[in-house]
Amino acid sequence: MPDDEDIPVAAIAVEEPAPAPVVAAPVSRRPNGFVRLWRQIGVGSLTLSILLHAGILLFMASYFIVRQMTPKQVDFLPGGGTQQGAKASADLAEKVQVKQRQKLSKVLPMQRVVVNTQTDVTLPDMPLDAIALPDVGSMMGGKMGSGGFGSAGSGGGFGSGTGMGGMGGMTFKPIFMFGMELKDVKKIAVVMDVSRSMTRYLPIVTKELDKVAFGSNLVLYFGCGLTAETKQNKALDKTILTTDDEFKTYWQVWEGKTPLNMPMEDRRKLQYDSSVPMPLKDIYEMMAKRKNTWYIDFCGITYAWTALMSKEVEQADAIYWFADFQDKVTPDMMDKVLKRLKARKQKLYIHASVKGRSFEQVRDGLVIPSGGEVIETELPKK
């Protein structure tokens, strides 16, 4: 066997180990710009949750605000304690019942039942809750809730407000004075001639006024003439409430037997005398207790314009003037009164106890141009 030294080097096969497989290193992806910004400002899952809940709360708040701002339809109940007020309440009750029946018909539609035999038929009972109707009487009695948040009543709620004739003659239906409709009139004021021949009509007119428009303004003037003012009488054209103590003196003196031609100096000295009986005491007490009633101190019988143009009647749509129209009127003074009526958009209605010498002048010069009319109803003298 030859020696190893004799074996050529090239003849020796040397086995080299197999190379290890090459594994590719994972390539890391760079986050997009939104994610990098999100991480930079520190917004995490907690912030996202807060934003989500805040959005829900904002939506719910806007929903309830819209619900609260939605106007609700309510039924208006006029008051006033008059016959017209009672009729209006009955009308309202009927309207409310009709609404309830309409709702009921939608909930429980009518069904046709056909029975071919003569046997008894039992229909299902209707639930009481479905036919409950509001008690209009309790609404007027002050048990109506305040805004729906409690059972505390409104105390009638209308006071001297806008009920049927509840606020200085304000009404929501046409006004009829002694059977005549005062067209397009919602508020009325009255001027009454209380000269000695006319005073007996005062209770009749006042009761009619309070029946159709309770609490209307009433102005008393001694006479019905319309002539120009004088410096002597200018200071006396102010209105005074009949509830004042001064009304005692006025009534006792001028509804009594005091001469009408008494000088101004002597008039100012007149005072109430408790030892002298009060003339027409029942009528005096009626006027002294009535609210919204004024008088103009005696300044002659031909200055009735002081009442017709007074501030106490300026808010009315129409002025009702009751007089005998026996006193003097002048065209110039009637023109001034007519201008004032038109400026206030007022109509003048006159009612004469007798058609005196100035009746036609007042009718043609004031009533017709203002859009008013003459009331022809004859009143009893007592």
Side-chain angles (χ1 to χ4, degrees):
M1 183 176 185
D3 294 336
D4 294 337
E5 297 176 351
D6 299 330
I7 298 173
V9 176
I12 299 173
V14 180
E15 294 184 0
E16 295 181 0
V22 179
V23 179
V27 179
S28 60
R29 297 181 61 186
R30 187 177 181 181
N32 57 34
F34 178 79
V35 175
R36 292 199 307 272
L37 179 62
W38 187 270
R39 291 176 180 176
Q40 287 178 2
I41 61 177
V43 179
S45 59
L46 176 60
T47 304
L48 178 61
S49 176
I50 293 174
L51 292 176
L52 179 62
H53 284 80
I56 295 174
L57 291 176
L58 181 60
F59 172 79
M60 295 298 293
S62 61
Y63 173 78
F64 283 109
I65 290 175
V66 172
R67 287 288 301 274
Q68 291 294 329
M69 293 178 64
T70 302
K72 297 182 180 180
Q73 182 178 1
V74 297
D75 291 311
F76 178 74
L77 180 63
T82 64
Q83 293 179 353
Q84 292 179 331
K87 183 178 179 181
S89 300
D91 294 341
L92 173 63
E94 183 178 356
K95 291 179 181 179
V96 173
Q97 290 177 355
V98 170
K99 289 182 180 180
Q100 290 291 335
R101 293 192 188 99
Q102 291 175 349
K103 293 180 180 179
L104 181 61
S105 63
K106 294 179 181 179
V107 177
L108 298 175
M110 296 180 62
Q111 296 180 355
R112 180 175 296 178
V113 179
V114 180
V115 180
N116 296 323
T117 64
Q118 296 182 354
T119 58
D120 295 335
V121 177
T122 301
L123 298 177
D125 293 333
M126 184 177 296
L128 294 178
D129 293 339
I131 61 175
L133 297 176
D135 184 4
V136 177
S138 65
M139 292 172 66
M140 293 184 64
K143 296 182 180 179
M144 183 170 56
S146 176
F149 294 99
S151 60
S154 62
F158 304 100
S160 60
T162 59
M164 293 295 295
M167 185 183 68
M170 178 67 74
T171 179
F172 294 95
K173 289 190 175 182
I175 294 179
F176 289 82
M177 283 296 288
F178 298 106
M180 172 176 276
E181 179 183 353
L182 310 188
K183 298 178 181 178
D184 300 322
V185 173
K186 301 300 181 184
K187 191 172 184 181
I188 184 176
V190 170
V191 173
M192 178 75 189
D193 179 1
V194 289
S195 55
R196 292 165 188 170
S197 62
M198 295 294 298
T199 310
R200 62 179 179 269
Y201 296 103
L202 182 54
I204 301 174
V205 173
T206 303
K207 289 178 182 178
E208 177 73 8
L209 176 63
D210 285 339
K211 182 178 71 174
V212 301
F214 182 81
S216 299
N217 289 1
L218 172 61
V219 181
L220 310 179
Y221 181 82
F222 195 106
C224 59
L226 297 173
T227 62
E229 63 183 345
T230 64
K231 293 181 179 180
Q232 184 182 26
N233 292 325
K234 187 174 182 180
L236 296 177
D237 61 355
K238 65 177 182 178
T239 53
I240 307 171
L241 283 167
T242 57
T243 53
D244 291 351
D245 289 338
E246 298 178 25
F247 186 56
K248 291 181 179 179
T249 303
Y250 170 85
W251 192 269
Q252 185 183 67
V253 170
W254 302 113
E255 296 300 332
K257 298 181 179 180
T258 305
L260 301 184
N261 59 354
M262 178 181 289
M264 179 65 68
E265 294 76 11
D266 295 336
R267 294 182 201 171
R268 294 173 179 171
K269 297 177 183 178
L270 296 173
Q271 295 182 351
Y272 172 71
D273 187 352
S274 59
S275 64
V276 177
M278 183 68 78
L280 303 172
K281 185 177 179 181
D282 293 342
I283 301 178
Y284 161 76
E285 291 179 348
M286 178 182 182
M287 293 296 101
K289 294 177 181 178
R290 188 184 187 276
K291 296 181 180 180
N292 300 330
T293 307
W294 292 263
Y295 71 97
I296 295 177
D297 202 359
F298 183 79
C299 56
I301 61 174
T302 60
Y303 305 101
W305 54 265
T306 57
L308 294 172
M309 298 168 62
S310 64
K311 65 179 183 300
E312 282 70 28
V313 302
E314 66 180 354
Q315 298 299 323
D317 301 319
I319 298 175
Y320 168 94
W321 186 16
F322 189 88
D324 58 11
F325 300 98
Q326 296 279 16
D327 302 326
K328 181 180 179 182
V329 299
T330 61
D332 292 343
M333 199 65 239
M334 285 197 300
D335 287 342
K336 290 183 179 180
V337 174
L338 181 60
K339 288 180 181 179
R340 183 66 61 87
L341 292 175
K342 289 184 175 181
R344 294 175 173 179
K345 299 181 180 180
Q346 292 177 317
K347 302 176 183 179
L348 179 64
Y349 290 80
I350 61 172
H351 195 175
S353 60
V354 295
K355 295 181 180 180
R357 59 174 181 169
S358 62
F359 172 80
E360 293 182 357
Q361 289 177 272
V362 174
R363 180 195 63 192
D364 298 339
L366 285 178
V367 176
I368 296 176
S370 70
E373 296 182 65
V374 175
I375 298 177
E376 301 285 356
T377 307
E378 185 176 353
L379 301 186
K381 298 185 183 299
K382 293 184 179 180

